[in-house]
Amino acid sequence: MSQMSTEPDGIRPSLTRREDIPDEQWNDWRWHMRKRITNLDKAREWIRPTLLEERAIAETAGKYRWSVTPYYASLMDPYDPGCPVRQQAVPALGELLEFSGAEVDPVGDMYYRKTNRVVHKYPDRVIMLITEACPVYCRHCTRKFHTTDVDGTYFERSEGEDFSEDLRYIAGHPEIRDVLLTGGDPLSYRDGKLEEIIAGLRAIPSVEIIRIGSRFPVLLPQRITPDLCAMLARYHPVWLNTHFNHPKEITPEAERAVDRLLRHGIPVGNQTVLLRGINDEVDTMRRLMTELLRIRVRPYYLYHCDNVTGVSHFMTSIEKGWEIMEGLQGHITGFGVPQYVLTTRLGKIPIARPYHRETPDGLALRNYRGEEMLVDDSVCPLTESAAAHGFRHAPDVTENRTTATGEGAR
Ligand SMILES: *Cc1c(COP(=O)(O)O)cnc(C)c1O
Ligand code: SF4
């Protein structure tokens, strides 16, 4: 094979490869944090930036933070700016374009914020924005203003103070049984500080489950250490949701991190964002979902990309989302199919197209191949009164059911 086809510019210093880095460093998440790529020169160790990327890096500097872990950089195609990993991590000029309807907080996190960190939007659960920091600043971040904008933040004060006011709010609202730690990335904290927060939550009797939203399994899976998992396991029930967007991100390192979490009893779910040019193809999404199942991660949500300032260029259409969902449903197992939602001020709204419609003759059902059938009231009663009507003609059945229920209740 010709070297020239993969290394078009032999004059420049050669690119770094995973193999060039000793395991001791590669497996140490702190090494990756110290070696994060934050400027063009460092980026050149991993990729050959295009002129457009160079311009974007220069023009977004001072406006949006930029940081990429060497681990995540190693997944980028060094020569292809269209690489799905690269597009998530390298600034693009699209971030500076003004889109109509774009907002810094379209889902109202700031509006529903009750303390510095607690966002209380649903009756029984809250999110706690415990930090602004992330190992990689994903270009498509839905909280771009909070995490990535140099001058932006959802916080009133700077982070890193004590959490007593936030914990007091949660303790004072016993209807909150589910707390989701998010940010930024909660695992940006060292284990000790994280444990302090989690222990504080565990001390509140009304808090039943603690959830963590973290992209570390994707951006720096080495962060998922035995010590971290052992600490989390002391505060069960703890759940973790991560954020894989493309099958390329499912690496042996990521698989090991997920395995470690699962062995510590932490169920791992995944939220994917539908992103133009990155994962907006049925084949890609199908591979992503089946690969997630292979590493025992349960697909949870597929988010439609919100019209967030600096992110709008990644937006697709609902039509595209439907196409993707219809390419998943029925083609792979039901638990590999995420729920397609639009995040709004009113909450996350399921927007997948239904597989049934009501007709005067009953329910019209369609399968994943588009084949339709009608189930009338005698087969599948639509309403409670239709169901009761059916039983009137079969008194024996009604009696048997009553008896059976009575016995079962004992
Ligand atoms: C997403 C979100 C939650 C959690 O939603 P689930 O559907 O339970 O995963 C809670 N609060 C806010 C404000 C959210 O945005
Ligand atoms: S890790 Fe999550 S919170 Fe942080 S920049 Fe990426 S998407 Fe945003």
Side-chain angles (χ1 to χ4, degrees):
M1 264 184 292
S2 154
Q3 268 300 106
M4 287 187 64
S5 63
T6 54
E7 182 76 59
D9 190 348
I11 303 159
R12 299 191 191 216
S14 63
L15 292 158
T16 312
R17 283 171 226 273
R18 152 70 187 98
E19 295 73 39
D20 302 334
I21 296 160
D23 284 353
E24 200 182 309
Q25 293 177 339
W26 190 256
N27 297 329
D28 176 5
W29 70 276
R30 289 185 183 84
W31 180 86
H32 287 267
M33 291 300 275
R34 281 197 303 274
K35 297 288 179 184
R36 280 183 295 175
I37 294 144
T38 52
N39 60 48
L40 188 58
D41 279 346
K42 285 191 191 167
R44 284 210 176 96
E45 295 171 15
W46 292 94
I47 57 169
R48 296 281 179 253
T50 62
L51 285 176
L52 280 177
E53 283 174 323
E54 287 188 18
R55 257 187 67 200
I57 290 163
E59 287 180 30
T60 55
K63 165 73 177 157
Y64 290 127
R65 295 190 177 94
W66 185 36
S67 158
V68 189
T69 57
Y71 165 80
Y72 202 58
S74 77
L75 308 185
M76 295 194 234
D77 186 315
Y79 308 111
D80 177 11
C83 163
V85 171
R86 190 155 153 175
Q87 286 193 76
Q88 290 182 67
V90 175
L93 289 169
E95 295 173 41
L96 300 170
L97 294 178
E98 280 184 30
F99 262 75
S100 64
E103 291 175 67
V104 295
D105 178 28
V107 308
D109 280 340
M110 283 189 276
Y111 175 79
Y112 288 100
R113 215 185 44 168
K114 301 299 153 131
T115 66
N116 206 27
R117 300 177 181 82
V118 174
V119 180
H120 195 176
K121 192 184 213 177
Y122 293 104
D124 74 330
R125 57 204 189 279
V126 293
I127 57 175
M128 223 172 142
L129 304 172
I130 66 172
T131 177
E132 295 163 305
C134 296
V136 171
Y137 291 102
C138 313
R139 309 324 294 176
H140 60 273
C141 183
T142 191
R143 296 203 185 98
K144 192 163 186 140
F145 181 72
H146 180 63
T147 58
T148 313
D149 192 313
V150 171
D151 303 313
T153 175
Y154 289 177
F155 291 144
E156 257 159 43
R157 308 178 289 274
S158 70
E159 47 152 327
E161 298 160 48
D162 83 311
F163 284 60
S164 47
E165 191 196 331
D166 313 288
L167 294 173
R168 248 197 323 275
Y169 178 87
I170 294 168
H173 290 79
E175 70 276 19
I176 299 168
R177 37 168 295 280
D178 171 352
V179 178
L180 168 55
L181 300 181
T182 177
D185 200 308
L187 301 189
S188 302
Y189 281 120
R190 57 183 176 79
D191 292 0
K193 179 67 184 173
L194 197 60
E195 179 161 16
E196 202 182 297
I197 301 164
I198 295 175
L201 286 171
R202 231 342 130 229
I204 302 171
S206 43
V207 173
E208 290 168 17
I209 65 171
I210 297 172
R211 293 193 276 167
I212 296 171
S214 172
R215 212 183 179 203
F216 268 96
V218 183
L219 304 173
L220 181 47
Q222 292 89 332
R223 172 72 184 92
I224 312 300
T225 60
D227 281 352
L228 172 71
C229 293
M231 183 277 279
L232 294 176
R234 287 198 288 276
Y235 299 93
H236 270 316
V238 175
W239 296 64
L240 187 139
N241 261 323
T242 189
H243 174 175
F244 286 97
N245 281 336
H246 194 277
K248 245 189 126 168
E249 295 168 335
I250 300 177
T251 63
E253 286 94 336
E255 190 175 348
R256 270 197 298 279
V258 166
D259 180 64
R260 193 168 271 163
L261 288 162
L262 293 172
R263 281 173 198 273
H264 285 80
I266 303 161
V268 184
N270 187 69
Q271 329 198 131
T272 295
V273 188
L274 174 56
L275 299 168
R276 178 178 295 279
I278 292 179
N279 59 13
D280 57 344
E281 282 173 7
V282 168
D283 180 59
T284 305
M285 283 294 195
R286 220 182 265 168
R287 276 191 297 130
L288 174 61
M289 300 309 159
T290 53
E291 278 290 284
L292 286 171
L293 293 181
R294 189 180 60 74
I295 65 166
R296 289 175 290 152
V297 173
R298 171 75 150 95
Y300 179 39
Y301 282 135
L302 172 63
Y303 290 117
H304 191 75
C305 182
D306 280 312
N307 197 353
V308 175
T309 306
V311 177
S312 313
H313 58 296
F314 286 121
M315 256 195 316
T316 62
S317 61
I318 302 283
E319 189 177 61
K320 176 56 77 177
W322 286 343
E323 179 195 327
I324 303 261
M325 286 305 291
E326 309 239 329
L328 295 176
Q329 180 64 53
H331 296 271
I332 62 171
T333 180
F335 69 93
V337 181
Q339 197 171 30
Y340 178 40
V341 294
L342 186 64
T343 307
T344 71
R345 289 201 171 85
L346 302 180
K348 297 177 179 75
I349 312 287
I351 50 173
R353 285 201 326 189
Y355 283 81
H356 63 271
R357 69 194 154 80
E358 289 172 39
T359 75
D361 305 317
L363 273 187
L365 306 178
R366 106 191 129 86
N367 73 356
Y368 66 101
R369 280 202 290 253
E371 298 159 343
E372 268 204 309
M373 68 186 285
L374 194 69
V375 288
D376 67 24
D377 269 356
S378 71
V379 175
C380 175
L382 184 60
T383 60
E384 279 297 295
S385 68
H389 180 78
F391 287 133
R392 239 194 350 251
H393 300 291
D396 291 351
V397 174
T398 318
E399 264 166 37
N400 287 344
R401 283 171 66 97
T402 313
T403 316
T405 312
E407 276 173 0
R410 264 196 260 136

